[in-house]
């Protein structure tokens, strides 16, 4: 899915960042652990994708599919008994795609200490219709200075994603033209 697919024109009003922002909370149990006794990174990644998908669906007003996940960063281990909060919001929108920023926080379920950031990620979602074809999304309206900064940073990440994709495609085409098989 790319933002380059032809789409029917439509006048969709924009939505403020807060309109689709959400938090998903979950208590980590023994079923979530890896061999080291901490919560498996894949469990956190699923929660990240779930929260980001909910935000993308809310913002776009319908189905949205994960197109990519960038920069999944694990800052601290998550333990059994931690109450994990996955906070997500739309940072940027294109014609059919949205970047969703996610912050993962954790706190002990039985303590009154503040939650600590344990991870973050950026995901790109594509809004699709019933046939799986791209559809237009409302543009996001950044409300706060933080939202405006996130919007600008998302534009930089998008530029880098597109440049990386283009450079890889060109390298593969050159290797193929030179008769090099992968």
């Amino acid at each position: 899915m790319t933002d380059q697919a032809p789409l029917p024109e439509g006048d969709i009003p924009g939505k403020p960042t807060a309109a689709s922002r959400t938090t998903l909370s979950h208590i980590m149990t023994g079923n979530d652990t890896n061999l080291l006794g901490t919560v498996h990174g894949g469990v956190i990644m699923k929660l990240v994708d779930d929260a980001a998908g909910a935000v993308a669906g809310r913002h776009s007003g319908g189905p949205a599919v994960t197109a990519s996940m960038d920069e999944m960063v694990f800052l601290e281990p998550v333990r059994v008994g931690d109450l994990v909060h996955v906070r997500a919001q739309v940072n940027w929108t294109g014609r059919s795609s949205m970047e969703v920023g996610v912050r993962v926080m954790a706190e002990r379920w039985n303590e009154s200490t503040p939650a600590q950031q344990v991870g973050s990620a950026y995901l790109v979602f594509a809004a699709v219709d019933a046939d799986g074809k791209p559809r237009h999304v409302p543009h996001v309206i950044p409300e706060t200075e933080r939202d405006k900064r996130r919007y600008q940073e998302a534009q930089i990440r998008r530029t880098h994603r597109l440049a990386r994709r283009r450079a890889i495609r060109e390298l593969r085409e050159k290797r193929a033209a030179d008769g090099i098989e992968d």
Side-chain angles (χ1 to χ4, degrees), residues 7-27:
L7 299 169
E9 292 302 319
D11 232 2
I12 304 172
K15 287 186 178 180
T17 306
S20 57
R21 189 179 288 142
T22 194
T23 300
L24 172 68
S25 297
H26 189 79
I27 294 178

Side-chain angles (χ1 to χ4, degrees), residues 17-18 21 89-91 141-152:
T17 306
R21 189 179 288 142
Q89 75 172 47
V90 173
N91 290 334
I141 303 168
E143 300 170 284
T144 66
E145 286 306 313
R146 179 180 283 178
D147 293 341
K148 291 173 186 172
R149 175 187 53 80
R150 288 178 177 165
Y151 184 89
Q152 292 171 329

Side-chain angles (χ1 to χ4, degrees), residues 108-129:
R108 296 302 296 165
W109 69 272
N110 59 349
E111 296 176 9
S112 60
T113 56
Q116 174 184 13
Q117 184 174 354
V118 295
S120 65
Y122 299 101
L123 296 87
V124 177
F125 280 79
V128 295
D129 63 18

Side-chain angles (χ1 to χ4, degrees), residues 158-171:
R158 180 175 188 273
T159 299
H160 288 198
R161 273 192 296 271
L162 294 175
R164 183 177 59 237
R165 187 179 309 150
R166 186 173 40 256
I168 290 170
R169 184 179 61 245
E170 290 170 0
L171 175 64

Side-chain angles (χ1 to χ4, degrees), residues 32-123:
D32 300 317
T33 60
N34 59 27
L35 295 175
L36 297 175
T38 57
V39 173
H40 196 290
V43 170
I44 301 299
M45 290 174 75
K46 179 170 184 342
L47 293 173
V48 164
D49 192 41
D50 288 347
V55 166
R58 276 181 171 183
H59 184 83
S60 69
V65 296
T66 310
S68 69
M69 177 184 272
D70 290 352
E71 301 180 34
M72 181 71 214
V73 177
F74 298 99
L75 302 170
E76 297 289 335
V78 177
R79 300 171 293 163
V80 170
D82 281 353
L83 178 57
V84 173
H85 308 285
V86 184
R87 299 179 179 151
Q89 75 172 47
V90 173
N91 290 334
W92 176 90
T93 53
R95 287 185 312 207
S96 64
S97 66
M98 301 156 276
E99 184 196 89
V100 178
V102 181
R103 178 172 289 169
V104 183
M105 309 292 289
E107 62 181 300
R108 296 302 296 165
W109 69 272
N110 59 349
E111 296 176 9
S112 60
T113 56
Q116 174 184 13
Q117 184 174 354
V118 295
S120 65
Y122 299 101
L123 296 87

